[in-house]
Amino acid sequence: QVHVVESGGGLVQAGESLRLSCVASGSIFSVNVMGWYRQAPGEQRELVAVINSDGSTRFADSVKGRFSISRDNAKNSAYLQMNSLKPEDTAVYYCKVIVRLIVDGPQYQYWGQGTQVTVSS
């Protein structure tokens, strides 16, 4: 069983920063992709940022230049640094990991329970 836990959400004012953390634990052979997604009320879940095992990244256009993503492979962890936050960044932020449980085995994806980020104007 794989568990994914996010932390670091909260209430901030526009222009401030937050750092989200995601940790994957369990019987994991390798964590290939770690990503952050968000879902605002009444909206579909959308990709925010993704980081691959080789360190390559991808960002939503709406967060480019404001958000950064990093990972610590030794800790199966990923971090989302969010700067210059805007009210439209308000959402529940979810971490998704794509892992292999055994060498050369299939990939599986797991989601965390989400952490609320609220940005007031």
Side-chain angles (χ1 to χ4, degrees), residues 23-105:
V23 179
S25 61
S27 299
I28 299 170
F29 173 73
S30 64
V31 180
N32 298 338
V33 183
M34 303 188 81
W36 289 96
Y37 295 73
R38 66 186 181 188
Q39 187 168 19
E43 302 289 334
Q44 288 190 334
R45 192 172 297 188
E46 64 175 1
L47 180 145
V48 177
V50 171
I51 184 165
N52 297 305
S53 56
D54 63 0
S56 58
T57 59
R58 180 161 55 100
F59 293 90
D61 288 343
S62 60
V63 306
K64 284 181 180 177
R66 300 188 297 122
F67 291 12
S68 62
I69 187 170
S70 60
R71 62 187 286 173
D72 184 334
N73 292 329
K75 297 181 179 179
N76 288 341
S77 298
Y79 309 96
L80 185 69
Q81 179 66 43
M82 306 185 294
N83 299 327
S84 302
L85 282 161
K86 304 176 181 180
E88 51 264 44
D89 294 317
T90 295
V92 178
Y93 283 69
Y94 297 90
C95 179
K96 184 180 83 172
V97 299
I98 299 177
V99 306
R100 293 189 196 275
L101 304 182
I102 59 174
V103 60
D104 293 331

